[in-house]
Amino acid sequence: MEQKWWHNKTAYQIYPKSFYDSNGDGIGDIKGILEKLDYLKELGIDILWISPVYLSPCADQGYDIADYYQIDPQFGTMEDMDTLLAEAKKRDMHVLMDLVVNHCSDEHEWFKKACEDPDGEYGKFFYMEKAKDGKLPCNWRSYFGGPVWEQVPGTDYYYLHVFHKKQPDFNWENPKLRESIYRMINWWLEKGLAGFRIDAIINIKKPLPFRDYPANREDGLCDMGQVLADARGIGEFLGEMRDRTFKLHDAFTVGEVFNEKEEELPDFIGENGYFSSMFDFRQTVEGKSPLGWYDCRKPEPEDYKRCCFESQRRSEGVGYLANIIENHDEPRGVSHYLPDGARNERGKKLLAVMYFMLKGIPFIYQGQELGMENTVFKSIDEVDDVGSKDEYRRCLEVGYSEEEALKIINHYSRDNARTPFQWNGEDNAGFTKGRPWLAVNPDYPDINAEEQMGRKDSVYAIYRALISLRRNPVYENTVVYGKTEPVLSGEKDIMAYVRRGEDQDILVVGNFDGRDREISLETIEGCKGKVTLLINNCEDFTMDNQRLILNPYQAVVIAYDRF
């Protein structure tokens, strides 16, 4: 595999609205990111992914873009963005922005012109269809609930939106639309961006012509996952976008890709893939249900390790996945994946070690390095996220009480990840001097950056150690390029794998059990010779005669010299 500049990097996602507020209006901003660049540098971050800061009415928190060439005033100015790019470069850091090109905002100039003349040039930038015999063009269900079709005011046309009704879908079948998007992408890359995180990209190819699919709920509509499974030919769009934009700038791109077909992985992230990498969502979707959150099942440790190892197997020799435990669209990973007894600092470090040491590009979501947890909503009125509100309604529709529905929302809501970053134990967790746009998690006096940065045994400290190990010249080749070989697979609630390099092995073992576990290493090929303990989330380390004793929720990383 050809080595790329981004292979040995560690990435960090910033959700600007909740990261740091520099002016006291309760909303995080670009100047706030600037003020905290040194924090990120000290942590060891190389790549920053900044969620949308474009001009937007924020029907879906900035993923509804009204102008791709402007910064929304709530986040600052284009001058602020230019300063951020320059200051990041001084620190040898690379900045990514979100590329949201499946849809825009209904307040975008193109869509306004489309509504004025659905049959005109800009009408063809979108999907504008007439109802037939009083029936919508198809029975697809929006990701946020309800039909994907919304009437264009004052006309008999309907426009397609697979997300919010204020997010009309672009018609990628139109080459003029694609040219306009490519101009915008190159404009940003020429400005100094290192690349993009590419949002919801699998949705750009629809199965045409529009038709109904078997309904999977009592509303008579069909889930978009089922619809997209029937789409063919997305590679023509993605390959063209790569060649016309990313490839020209040696950009790093990471795709938000769901529903890709197994055989398509090399096309997405292979030697000449559409993207540099794509997020590994296998464990994210584990236990999810098309019926709604009420029907979801929380993954067990055995589910988690199976999903991780399946992804490692299918990507080996193909390309690099981007490894995550959470992002702005998911609950906090430590609240979702860890057993009840492991929701403490040791358990949080265990989860950090097990995902971070996998082959791929590790992404850290803001606050993850502190072990930030899900918050508690006492009422649905405290929830901001449009998707969570739809799921709450869905719970009530199928018979759950308000109390039961709120409990479900408390676990799965996207707002869990969007509560303000917890900088210190002062008012509003040090996020703002004003009133925060979303309530701060009440656990901030106990979980905050200031407290953890001054403590050698904190969750923050183990993330720093993991990042440092990744760039340590003694181990870098194995950590970055070594194969992942699952071992001890018969040991329930033990997740273990070896990273095999050219002349070195690194063993990673974690105990998800609430009991001490004795592990025999005799069956693991190469686990002999001189041992170097690299990472340990406990004070104890007991190993002798190929026997390793793990405390509850202990994780260790051990290097072996080969004979």
Side-chain angles (χ1 to χ4, degrees), residues 527-539:
C527 283
K528 298 177 181 178
K530 182 183 176 183
V531 173
T532 304
L533 179 64
L534 303 177
I535 301 284
N536 182 10
N537 71 337
C538 293
E539 293 183 2

Side-chain angles (χ1 to χ4, degrees), residues 25-57:
D25 65 356
I27 296 173
D29 45 47
I30 296 172
K31 285 185 177 179
I33 299 172
L34 272 163
E35 288 190 34
K36 298 299 184 180
L37 275 184
D38 289 336
Y39 165 84
L40 297 167
K41 183 65 178 178
E42 185 175 348
L43 179 60
I45 300 303
D46 306 293
I47 296 174
L48 301 179
W49 156 28
I50 300 174
S51 290
V53 290
Y54 309 97
L55 186 67
S56 170

Side-chain angles (χ1 to χ4, degrees), residues 12-112:
Y12 188 99
Q13 181 189 356
I14 291 176
Y15 194 72
K17 196 170 184 178
S18 298
F19 190 59
Y20 185 65
D21 173 22
S22 70
N23 60 7
D25 65 356
I27 296 173
D29 45 47
I30 296 172
K31 285 185 177 179
I33 299 172
L34 272 163
E35 288 190 34
K36 298 299 184 180
L37 275 184
D38 289 336
Y39 165 84
L40 297 167
K41 183 65 178 178
E42 185 175 348
L43 179 60
I45 300 303
D46 306 293
I47 296 174
L48 301 179
W49 156 28
I50 300 174
S51 290
V53 290
Y54 309 97
L55 186 67
S56 170
C58 281
D60 186 24
Q61 292 301 349
Y63 283 88
D64 47 319
I65 298 172
D67 191 331
Y68 291 91
Y69 296 93
Q70 287 192 52
I71 300 297
D72 196 291
Q74 69 176 331
F75 296 121
T77 65
M78 189 61 76
E79 289 73 24
D80 295 334
M81 177 57 69
D82 290 337
T83 302
L84 176 60
L85 293 175
E87 290 298 317
K89 186 175 182 180
K90 288 179 184 177
R91 293 163 176 80
D92 197 25
M93 300 167 81
H94 308 265
V95 178
L96 314 178
M97 289 178 72
D98 251 294
L99 184 63
V100 188
V101 289
N102 173 72
H103 49 261
C104 64
S105 166
D106 65 348
E107 297 183 27
H108 194 288
E109 181 184 10
W110 296 346
F111 188 71
K112 291 178 179 179

Side-chain angles (χ1 to χ4, degrees), residues 4 6 99 101 172 196-202 204 234 237-239 241-242 245-246 251-258 260 265-279 318-320:
K4 301 288 189 179
W6 44 266
L99 184 63
V101 289
W172 271 73
F196 294 95
R197 175 265 189 180
I198 302 166
D199 177 72
I201 197 64
I202 205 75
I204 66 172
I234 192 172
F237 298 154
L238 298 182
M241 180 166 60
R242 172 201 61 208
T245 60
F246 313 141
F252 172 71
T253 54
V254 54
E256 183 193 29
V257 181
F258 291 93
E260 86 281 359
L265 189 64
D267 297 329
F268 278 89
I269 59 169
E271 199 68 34
N272 190 37
Y274 309 135
F275 311 126
S276 309
S277 182
M278 57 187 254
F279 289 109
V318 175
Y320 275 69

Side-chain angles (χ1 to χ4, degrees), residues 62 126 253 310 335 395 397 503:
F126 302 89
T253 54
E310 285 176 354
S335 299
C395 288
E397 287 172 0
D503 53 8

Side-chain angles (χ1 to χ4, degrees), residues 231-479:
R232 296 292 183 273
I234 192 172
E236 296 176 16
F237 298 154
L238 298 182
E240 181 182 78
M241 180 166 60
R242 172 201 61 208
D243 293 342
R244 297 287 303 280
T245 60
F246 313 141
K247 208 170 186 178
L248 303 177
H249 301 270
D250 193 24
F252 172 71
T253 54
V254 54
E256 183 193 29
V257 181
F258 291 93
N259 306 101
E260 86 281 359
K261 300 163 182 66
E262 191 80 19
E263 68 277 7
E264 292 178 337
L265 189 64
D267 297 329
F268 278 89
I269 59 169
E271 199 68 34
N272 190 37
Y274 309 135
F275 311 126
S276 309
S277 182
M278 57 187 254
F279 289 109
D280 177 19
F281 289 126
R282 189 161 292 230
Q283 57 268 33
T284 305
V285 301
E286 178 70 18
K288 295 289 178 68
S289 168
L291 297 179
W293 289 351
Y294 74 91
D295 194 50
C296 291
R297 176 183 59 82
K298 194 171 91 64
E300 300 291 333
E302 287 295 297
D303 298 319
Y304 182 77
K305 76 177 187 181
R306 171 179 48 79
C307 290
C308 289
F309 291 156
E310 285 176 354
S311 296
Q312 292 285 291
R313 172 194 55 77
R314 75 187 189 112
S315 62
E316 179 57 48
V318 175
Y320 275 69
L321 293 173
N323 298 320
I324 63 169
I325 61 170
E326 63 194 34
N327 61 26
H328 66 291
D329 281 333
E330 300 296 331
R332 287 289 180 176
V334 296
S335 299
H336 185 59
Y337 294 118
L338 288 174
D340 291 345
R343 289 189 200 137
N344 49 44
E345 284 210 336
R346 186 187 292 181
K348 293 172 182 181
K349 296 174 195 175
L350 162 69
L351 188 60
V353 171
M354 300 318 296
Y355 106 94
F356 198 95
M357 290 300 297
L358 294 168
K359 187 174 185 177
I361 311 299
F363 272 70
I364 299 170
Y365 178 71
Q366 64 181 45
Q368 177 185 321
E369 75 276 20
L370 309 178
M372 281 181 61
E373 302 176 0
N374 279 0
T375 191
V376 177
F377 302 105
K378 297 178 181 178
S379 162
I380 193 63
D381 295 332
E382 297 178 4
V383 175
D384 176 82
D385 173 43
V386 61
S388 298
K389 292 178 179 178
D390 178 66
E391 290 286 352
Y392 180 79
R393 288 192 295 269
R394 173 68 179 156
C395 288
L396 299 180
E397 287 172 0
V398 298
Y400 285 85
S401 68
E402 291 185 358
E403 182 180 0
E404 291 168 330
L406 190 61
K407 184 177 180 181
I408 293 169
I409 299 309
N410 266 299
H411 182 80
Y412 288 103
S413 175
R414 301 193 297 180
D415 280 351
N416 282 306
R418 300 176 182 186
T419 59
F421 190 97
Q422 294 162 205
W423 290 104
N424 55 44
E426 300 173 7
D427 290 347
N428 296 321
F431 162 71
T432 181
K433 290 182 172 61
R435 181 179 179 180
W437 73 276
L438 187 65
V440 176
N441 191 321
D443 65 11
Y444 74 87
D446 300 313
I447 302 175
N448 63 74
E450 184 177 72
E451 188 276 333
Q452 292 203 21
M453 290 176 71
R455 185 159 50 86
K456 292 181 179 180
D457 63 347
S458 66
V459 178
Y460 170 88
I462 207 162
Y463 272 99
R464 277 198 75 193
L466 287 163
I467 295 170
S468 179
L469 177 61
R470 185 173 176 81
R471 56 169 57 126
N472 185 321
V474 178
Y475 304 107
E476 179 179 358
N477 190 68
T478 302
V479 174

